[in-house]
Amino acid sequence: MAETLTITALGHGGDGVAETADGRVFVPYALPGETIEVERAGKPPRIVGISQASPDRVEPLCRHFGACGGCGLQHMERGAYLAWKRQVVIDAFALRGIGADVEPIVPIAEGTRRRAVLSAATTPQGFVLGFNRRGTNDIVPIAECPVLVPAIAGRLDTLTRLSKILCDRRRPLRLTIVAADNGLDIAVQGARRVGRPELEALGAMAADPSLARLTVDNNRIFLNRQPEIRSGDTLLLPEPGGFLQAALPAEEAMAAVVLDHVGKATPVLDLFAGAGTFALRLARNAPVTAVEGDVALILAITTAANRTKHLKPVTTRKRDLFRNPMAPIELNPFGALVFDPPAGGAKAQVDQIAASKVAKVVAVSCNPATLARDARVLIDGGYRLVRVAPVDQFLFSAEIECVATFER
């Protein structure tokens, strides 16, 4: 049975918020100011009619929007969408008692996402390759994706053929695809047992010039060439299925803030260094120590640094900074420090930074809530918040990337 709701706000997850006698109701794909009819028999509530639409409602770009769980906000006018994202950051800092002067969010264009995680499975309706439906394990087959770079979106047929060779009927397949500068880097997890017929079929696919590397369940199947990703004037060497900034324009915007704040400070410490996105750029001007818990990423940084001319010394250290954060006595020799932890933040490490004497600190985060929490610790430890620069790295989603800079 449908009921009428009035949407009063947009929640931090991107859903419309309605106040009811039962409490708040969060409605996907609803916008503030709208009067809608919803069915609440299942979760989440489902819009069955819109009697008064928001002036910010626009036609989605993709035919799969609303079914595919990859995007949540294609239906919102871009200016209103960006303003809402900036406000999410402002609210996160305000919740921690920080009146941050948040800069306008850096917009990102369609067709720039260079890393995708797709699922594939054999279902009673046939073979499917796509993204999961929101809140479920169901796979929505996709024929297009306006967010992805053409190098990925234009090769869905190739990815489907590959998945059919490897898919086990008992479980879904997971594909992580990175559009490197010299071809697609594909890492597959959950494949069927690979025998001679499968290897022969995969070997034939290796003749495709658009494919750089294929790894299946951590086993290299073929390597046409080492995937390379230009990062500033250096080359990153990504690990199969490894992390990298999802969109190059977003990476460049964040790196510009990092480099501007670090300035001529020396030496520089890069914590949670990943594949060296910031470390290698920073090494143009100062010696850098890059600390990361993944040995494969440490090797990637070292290899990239050795292949790049005119860098200052790049030292790498393998260390689990969650269990064993660097202490103030280790941090104090550095003139500047950058940290880019996972979404959960780096509370243990930030406690140590707050007690250190490092003059300049840069925090990079994909979670405004944990960034604001960490900022509160730094401010209470004697740091001054200089700037907060949000970047719309994850287009049409509720996720927001931010760079926050601090000075002693």
Side-chain angles (χ1 to χ4, degrees):
M1 180 178 178
E3 62 180 294
T4 301
L5 298 177
T6 298
I7 304 300
T8 59
L10 206 61
H12 288 180
D15 293 341
V17 180
E19 303 289 348
T20 74
D22 303 327
R24 285 185 173 179
V25 176
F26 293 86
V27 185
Y29 314 119
L31 296 175
E34 292 189 329
T35 302
I36 60 175
E37 288 71 49
V38 303
E39 288 185 351
R40 294 172 62 187
K43 289 186 177 181
R46 183 172 65 91
I47 298 176
V48 294
I50 301 176
S51 52
Q52 180 176 328
S54 165
D56 294 328
R57 181 173 286 276
V58 296
E59 191 68 23
L61 295 175
C62 179
R63 75 180 90 167
H64 305 300
F65 180 72
C68 168
C71 292
L73 291 159
Q74 282 189 25
H75 63 307
M76 191 175 188
E77 187 274 328
R78 194 66 62 91
Y81 157 83
L82 293 172
W84 168 75
K85 282 200 164 184
R86 177 175 178 267
Q87 190 62 46
V88 169
V89 180
I90 293 171
D91 291 345
F93 277 80
L95 192 62
R96 296 286 176 174
I98 305 170
D101 184 14
V102 177
E103 298 175 6
I105 190 165
V106 177
I108 298 298
E110 298 88 358
T112 55
R113 181 81 64 85
R114 59 184 176 181
R115 184 180 188 271
V117 181
L118 299 174
S119 297
T122 301
T123 72
Q125 292 73 39
F127 187 83
V128 293
L129 171 78
F131 293 107
N132 287 98
R133 190 182 302 275
R134 174 179 168 148
T136 76
N137 292 321
D138 299 337
I139 301 171
V140 177
I142 60 169
E144 64 181 18
C145 181
V147 171
L148 297 177
V149 293
I152 300 177
R155 301 314 305 270
L156 295 174
D157 55 345
T158 300
L159 297 171
T160 298
R161 290 200 308 273
L162 174 67
S163 300
K164 286 181 176 179
I165 296 170
L166 294 170
C167 193
D168 188 323
R169 289 180 175 272
R170 297 169 297 177
R171 61 177 181 266
L173 200 67
R174 178 184 173 95
L175 299 89
T176 301
I177 307 105
V178 170
D181 294 343
N182 56 351
L184 294 185
D185 185 16
I186 305 171
V188 179
Q189 293 290 331
R192 62 190 292 183
R193 183 176 180 180
V194 177
R196 183 170 180 176
E198 290 79 20
L199 288 173
E200 290 178 350
L202 295 173
M205 294 193 73
D208 186 334
S210 71
L211 305 183
R213 178 172 62 188
L214 173 64
T215 307
V216 177
D217 290 324
N218 302 316
N219 297 307
R220 184 190 296 169
I221 302 300
F222 63 75
L223 177 68
N224 286 333
R225 53 201 166 274
Q226 168 66 48
E228 298 176 342
I229 295 177
R230 176 67 59 181
S231 179
D233 53 2
T234 63
L235 285 176
L236 300 182
L237 307 175
E239 286 300 301
F243 171 82
L244 80 159
Q245 300 297 340
L248 177 59
E251 177 187 303
E252 291 177 336
M254 291 186 288
V257 177
V258 171
L259 293 171
D260 178 67
H261 187 67
V262 170
K264 297 181 179 180
T266 186
V268 181
L269 179 62
D270 185 8
L271 303 178
F272 308 95
T277 300
F278 301 122
L280 296 173
R281 283 181 166 94
L282 290 163
R284 286 292 178 191
N285 301 315
V288 174
T289 297
V291 184
E292 170 58 51
D294 187 330
V295 66
L297 292 173
I298 288 291
L299 178 60
I301 294 172
T302 302
T303 304
N306 289 339
R307 291 177 52 173
T308 305
K309 296 180 180 179
H310 310 304
L311 291 185
K312 304 293 185 182
V314 176
T315 303
T316 56
R317 297 183 190 172
K318 181 184 179 300
R319 184 161 173 169
D320 185 339
L321 294 169
F322 295 105
R323 295 184 178 183
N324 184 23
M326 292 183 69
I329 193 171
E330 300 173 277
L331 302 174
N332 289 338
F334 293 94
L337 179 160
V338 179
F339 68 101
D340 182 10
K347 179 64 167 60
Q349 183 60 75
V350 170
D351 286 342
Q352 302 303 311
I353 297 171
S356 77
K357 298 177 181 178
V358 180
K360 294 184 175 183
V361 171
V362 184
V364 183
S365 173
C366 62
N367 185 338
T370 56
L371 175 61
R373 180 202 65 198
D374 292 346
R376 179 77 269 169
V377 174
L378 292 172
I379 292 169
D380 291 345
Y383 282 90
R384 177 175 66 89
L385 178 62
V386 177
R387 66 186 290 197
V388 180
V391 179
D392 189 23
Q393 167 138 252
F394 305 99
L395 184 62
F396 300 132
S397 80
E399 294 185 67
I400 310 165
E401 198 85 37
C402 288
V403 183
T405 65
F406 304 83
E407 290 180 350
R408 257 288 167 212

